[in-house]
Structures are given as C-alpha cells and as structure tokens.
mmCIF file of all heavy atoms in Angstrom:
data_model
loop_
_atom_site.group_PDB
_atom_site.id
_atom_site.type_symbol
_atom_site.label_atom_id
_atom_site.label_comp_id
_atom_site.label_asym_id
_atom_site.label_seq_id
_atom_site.Cartn_x
_atom_site.Cartn_y
_atom_site.Cartn_z
ATOM 1 N N LEU A 2 83.130 -133.221 -94.665
ATOM 2 C CA LEU A 2 84.226 -132.500 -95.132
ATOM 3 C C LEU A 2 84.155 -131.042 -95.134
ATOM 4 O O LEU A 2 83.110 -130.472 -95.568
ATOM 5 C CB LEU A 2 84.625 -132.983 -96.615
ATOM 6 C CG LEU A 2 85.860 -132.433 -97.301
ATOM 7 C CD1 LEU A 2 87.096 -132.797 -96.610
ATOM 8 C CD2 LEU A 2 85.841 -132.894 -98.814
ATOM 9 N N ALA A 3 85.239 -130.344 -94.551
ATOM 10 C CA ALA A 3 85.125 -128.900 -94.661
ATOM 11 C C ALA A 3 85.474 -128.362 -96.086
ATOM 12 O O ALA A 3 86.503 -128.802 -96.636
ATOM 13 C CB ALA A 3 86.179 -128.284 -93.755
ATOM 14 N N THR A 4 84.524 -127.505 -96.461
ATOM 15 C CA THR A 4 84.679 -126.893 -97.869
ATOM 16 C C THR A 4 85.095 -125.372 -97.764
ATOM 17 O O THR A 4 84.643 -124.796 -96.756
ATOM 18 C CB THR A 4 83.517 -127.110 -98.727
ATOM 19 O OG1 THR A 4 82.320 -126.574 -98.035
ATOM 20 C CG2 THR A 4 83.363 -128.562 -99.138
ATOM 21 N N LYS A 5 85.754 -124.899 -98.684
ATOM 22 C CA LYS A 5 86.365 -123.557 -98.579
ATOM 23 C C LYS A 5 86.439 -122.891 -99.874
ATOM 24 O O LYS A 5 86.530 -123.625 -101.038
ATOM 25 C CB LYS A 5 87.744 -123.671 -97.956
ATOM 26 C CG LYS A 5 88.595 -122.396 -97.786
ATOM 27 C CD LYS A 5 89.939 -122.846 -97.226
ATOM 28 C CE LYS A 5 90.865 -121.634 -96.979
ATOM 29 N NZ LYS A 5 92.192 -122.074 -96.426
ATOM 30 N N SER A 6 86.390 -121.583 -100.016
ATOM 31 C CA SER A 6 86.485 -120.941 -101.185
ATOM 32 C C SER A 6 87.134 -119.628 -100.995
ATOM 33 O O SER A 6 87.262 -119.073 -99.912
ATOM 34 C CB SER A 6 85.173 -120.603 -101.927
ATOM 35 O OG SER A 6 85.321 -120.187 -103.239
ATOM 36 N N GLY A 7 87.675 -118.827 -102.067
ATOM 37 C CA GLY A 7 88.346 -117.595 -101.877
ATOM 38 C C GLY A 7 87.906 -116.624 -103.000
ATOM 39 O O GLY A 7 87.558 -116.975 -104.009
ATOM 40 N N LEU A 8 87.981 -115.311 -102.610
ATOM 41 C CA LEU A 8 87.633 -114.235 -103.585
ATOM 42 C C LEU A 8 88.682 -113.153 -103.465
ATOM 43 O O LEU A 8 89.487 -113.036 -102.417
ATOM 44 C CB LEU A 8 86.310 -113.548 -103.031
ATOM 45 C CG LEU A 8 85.055 -114.391 -102.951
ATOM 46 C CD1 LEU A 8 83.946 -113.599 -102.301
ATOM 47 C CD2 LEU A 8 84.716 -114.880 -104.337
ATOM 48 N N MET A 9 88.799 -112.485 -104.646
ATOM 49 C CA MET A 9 89.692 -111.291 -104.645
ATOM 50 C C MET A 9 88.779 -110.053 -104.756
ATOM 51 O O MET A 9 87.715 -110.086 -105.386
ATOM 52 C CB MET A 9 90.578 -111.295 -105.915
ATOM 53 C CG MET A 9 91.401 -112.449 -106.027
ATOM 54 S SD MET A 9 92.201 -112.469 -107.789
ATOM 55 C CE MET A 9 90.773 -112.723 -108.830
ATOM 56 N N VAL A 10 89.258 -108.908 -104.218
ATOM 57 C CA VAL A 10 88.577 -107.658 -104.494
ATOM 58 C C VAL A 10 89.523 -106.610 -105.054
ATOM 59 O O VAL A 10 90.722 -106.817 -104.937
ATOM 60 C CB VAL A 10 87.916 -107.147 -103.163
ATOM 61 C CG1 VAL A 10 86.821 -107.964 -102.607
ATOM 62 C CG2 VAL A 10 89.073 -106.830 -102.089
ATOM 63 N N GLY A 11 88.908 -105.636 -105.672
ATOM 64 C CA GLY A 11 89.754 -104.698 -106.320
ATOM 65 C C GLY A 11 89.724 -104.625 -107.866
ATOM 66 O O GLY A 11 90.460 -103.935 -108.517
ATOM 67 N N LEU A 12 88.815 -105.433 -108.359
ATOM 68 C CA LEU A 12 88.647 -105.603 -109.807
ATOM 69 C C LEU A 12 87.346 -104.913 -110.388
ATOM 70 O O LEU A 12 86.932 -105.138 -111.499
ATOM 71 C CB LEU A 12 88.573 -107.127 -110.185
ATOM 72 C CG LEU A 12 90.006 -107.769 -110.009
ATOM 73 C CD1 LEU A 12 89.853 -109.263 -110.099
ATOM 74 C CD2 LEU A 12 90.870 -107.318 -111.080
ATOM 75 N N GLY A 13 86.667 -104.080 -109.525
ATOM 76 C CA GLY A 13 85.546 -103.382 -110.005
ATOM 77 C C GLY A 13 84.248 -103.859 -109.412
ATOM 78 O O GLY A 13 83.186 -103.467 -109.828
ATOM 79 N N GLU A 14 84.312 -104.694 -108.396
ATOM 80 C CA GLU A 14 83.108 -105.215 -107.798
ATOM 81 C C GLU A 14 82.496 -104.260 -106.761
ATOM 82 O O GLU A 14 83.198 -103.330 -106.316
ATOM 83 C CB GLU A 14 83.430 -106.595 -107.028
ATOM 84 C CG GLU A 14 84.366 -106.428 -105.838
ATOM 85 C CD GLU A 14 85.835 -106.091 -106.184
ATOM 86 O OE1 GLU A 14 86.323 -106.665 -107.179
ATOM 87 O OE2 GLU A 14 86.315 -105.101 -105.572
ATOM 88 N N THR A 15 81.231 -104.434 -106.404
ATOM 89 C CA THR A 15 80.651 -103.718 -105.289
ATOM 90 C C THR A 15 80.470 -104.500 -104.177
ATOM 91 O O THR A 15 80.523 -105.763 -104.203
ATOM 92 C CB THR A 15 79.303 -103.135 -105.733
ATOM 93 O OG1 THR A 15 78.404 -104.316 -105.862
ATOM 94 C CG2 THR A 15 79.343 -102.389 -107.054
ATOM 95 N N ARG A 16 80.360 -103.871 -102.990
ATOM 96 C CA ARG A 16 80.052 -104.655 -101.710
ATOM 97 C C ARG A 16 78.878 -105.530 -101.865
ATOM 98 O O ARG A 16 78.792 -106.621 -101.318
ATOM 99 C CB ARG A 16 79.977 -103.718 -100.535
ATOM 100 C CG ARG A 16 80.047 -104.266 -99.188
ATOM 101 C CD ARG A 16 79.768 -103.308 -98.060
ATOM 102 N NE ARG A 16 79.997 -103.979 -96.765
ATOM 103 C CZ ARG A 16 79.028 -104.558 -96.131
ATOM 104 N NH1 ARG A 16 77.773 -104.706 -96.758
ATOM 105 N NH2 ARG A 16 79.193 -105.099 -94.966
ATOM 106 N N GLU A 17 77.860 -104.893 -102.439
ATOM 107 C CA GLU A 17 76.587 -105.693 -102.691
ATOM 108 C C GLU A 17 76.782 -106.956 -103.541
ATOM 109 O O GLU A 17 76.191 -108.019 -103.170
ATOM 110 C CB GLU A 17 75.445 -104.908 -103.268
ATOM 111 C CG GLU A 17 74.936 -103.739 -102.415
ATOM 112 C CD GLU A 17 76.033 -102.581 -102.237
ATOM 113 O OE1 GLU A 17 76.893 -102.436 -103.226
ATOM 114 O OE2 GLU A 17 75.941 -101.822 -101.245
ATOM 115 N N GLU A 18 77.598 -106.877 -104.497
ATOM 116 C CA GLU A 18 77.903 -108.113 -105.347
ATOM 117 C C GLU A 18 78.692 -109.084 -104.529
ATOM 118 O O GLU A 18 78.464 -110.324 -104.653
ATOM 119 C CB GLU A 18 78.621 -107.701 -106.548
ATOM 120 C CG GLU A 18 77.773 -106.936 -107.570
ATOM 121 C CD GLU A 18 78.662 -106.360 -108.790
ATOM 122 O OE1 GLU A 18 79.704 -105.808 -108.512
ATOM 123 O OE2 GLU A 18 78.183 -106.609 -109.931
ATOM 124 N N ILE A 19 79.621 -108.628 -103.702
ATOM 125 C CA ILE A 19 80.475 -109.547 -102.880
ATOM 126 C C ILE A 19 79.430 -110.280 -101.895
ATOM 127 O O ILE A 19 79.523 -111.505 -101.643
ATOM 128 C CB ILE A 19 81.546 -108.746 -102.126
ATOM 129 C CG1 ILE A 19 82.656 -108.375 -103.016
ATOM 130 C CG2 ILE A 19 82.105 -109.709 -100.960
ATOM 131 C CD1 ILE A 19 83.403 -109.524 -103.777
ATOM 132 N N GLU A 20 78.551 -109.492 -101.259
ATOM 133 C CA GLU A 20 77.585 -110.150 -100.307
ATOM 134 C C GLU A 20 76.684 -111.272 -101.027
ATOM 135 O O GLU A 20 76.436 -112.251 -100.545
ATOM 136 C CB GLU A 20 76.684 -109.061 -99.783
ATOM 137 C CG GLU A 20 75.755 -109.632 -98.793
ATOM 138 C CD GLU A 20 75.006 -108.537 -97.909
ATOM 139 O OE1 GLU A 20 75.114 -107.408 -98.225
ATOM 140 O OE2 GLU A 20 74.164 -108.954 -97.066
ATOM 141 N N ALA A 21 76.313 -110.924 -102.301
ATOM 142 C CA ALA A 21 75.567 -111.904 -103.103
ATOM 143 C C ALA A 21 76.387 -113.245 -103.320
ATOM 144 O O ALA A 21 75.831 -114.310 -103.249
ATOM 145 C CB ALA A 21 75.150 -111.350 -104.472
ATOM 146 N N VAL A 22 77.673 -113.048 -103.579
ATOM 147 C CA VAL A 22 78.548 -114.262 -103.743
ATOM 148 C C VAL A 22 78.664 -114.984 -102.412
ATOM 149 O O VAL A 22 78.583 -116.275 -102.410
ATOM 150 C CB VAL A 22 80.000 -113.807 -104.234
ATOM 151 C CG1 VAL A 22 80.917 -115.053 -104.171
ATOM 152 C CG2 VAL A 22 79.867 -113.243 -105.672
ATOM 153 N N LEU A 23 78.722 -114.269 -101.254
ATOM 154 C CA LEU A 23 78.783 -115.006 -99.986
ATOM 155 C C LEU A 23 77.481 -115.845 -99.803
ATOM 156 O O LEU A 23 77.530 -116.910 -99.292
ATOM 157 C CB LEU A 23 78.983 -114.017 -98.837
ATOM 158 C CG LEU A 23 80.285 -113.218 -98.833
ATOM 159 C CD1 LEU A 23 80.256 -112.205 -97.624
ATOM 160 C CD2 LEU A 23 81.449 -114.041 -98.692
ATOM 161 N N ASP A 24 76.349 -115.135 -100.140
ATOM 162 C CA ASP A 24 75.144 -115.917 -99.998
ATOM 163 C C ASP A 24 75.103 -117.192 -101.004
ATOM 164 O O ASP A 24 74.684 -118.268 -100.577
ATOM 165 C CB ASP A 24 73.996 -115.070 -100.431
ATOM 166 C CG ASP A 24 73.657 -113.994 -99.428
ATOM 167 O OD1 ASP A 24 73.995 -114.180 -98.257
ATOM 168 O OD2 ASP A 24 73.041 -112.920 -99.830
ATOM 169 N N ASP A 25 75.583 -117.078 -102.162
ATOM 170 C CA ASP A 25 75.766 -118.254 -103.105
ATOM 171 C C ASP A 25 76.489 -119.292 -102.474
ATOM 172 O O ASP A 25 76.186 -120.542 -102.591
ATOM 173 C CB ASP A 25 76.283 -117.832 -104.359
ATOM 174 C CG ASP A 25 75.332 -117.056 -105.268
ATOM 175 O OD1 ASP A 25 74.162 -116.981 -104.944
ATOM 176 O OD2 ASP A 25 75.827 -116.363 -106.185
ATOM 177 N N LEU A 26 77.670 -118.982 -101.866
ATOM 178 C CA LEU A 26 78.516 -119.963 -101.190
ATOM 179 C C LEU A 26 77.904 -120.651 -99.979
ATOM 180 O O LEU A 26 77.966 -121.881 -99.844
ATOM 181 C CB LEU A 26 79.910 -119.265 -100.739
ATOM 182 C CG LEU A 26 80.837 -118.994 -101.851
ATOM 183 C CD1 LEU A 26 82.006 -118.036 -101.285
ATOM 184 C CD2 LEU A 26 81.363 -120.269 -102.425
ATOM 185 N N ARG A 27 77.097 -119.907 -99.222
ATOM 186 C CA ARG A 27 76.460 -120.512 -98.079
ATOM 187 C C ARG A 27 75.274 -121.377 -98.603
ATOM 188 O O ARG A 27 74.982 -122.495 -97.975
ATOM 189 C CB ARG A 27 75.787 -119.368 -97.195
ATOM 190 C CG ARG A 27 76.822 -118.621 -96.334
ATOM 191 C CD ARG A 27 77.696 -119.654 -95.411
ATOM 192 N NE ARG A 27 76.823 -120.349 -94.492
ATOM 193 C CZ ARG A 27 76.830 -121.624 -94.289
ATOM 194 N NH1 ARG A 27 77.736 -122.359 -94.941
ATOM 195 N NH2 ARG A 27 76.032 -122.186 -93.482
#
C-alpha cells in the first residue's frame, strides 16, 4: 500500500528540522 504524509511550513520551523521529519517519514 502506498503511504503518504503532509507538512506545513511557515510556523517557525527550520530547514534542518524539516529535513529531520523527512528522515523520520522515510
């Protein structure tokens, strides 16, 4: 089954934190 997730930016996050979330999802 294909799994999917979504994120918002603009709430005070950093690029490094977003990259860490991408790693968690993978």
Side-chain angles (χ1 to χ4, degrees):
L2 179 64
T4 53
K5 179 179 177 182
S6 193
L8 302 171
M9 304 173 291
V10 295
L12 289 166
E14 66 291 315
T15 66
R16 188 182 186 281
E17 291 73 23
E18 287 175 316
I19 291 294
E20 182 170 0
V22 173
L23 296 179
D24 289 336
D25 287 343
L26 285 169
R27 288 301 300 133

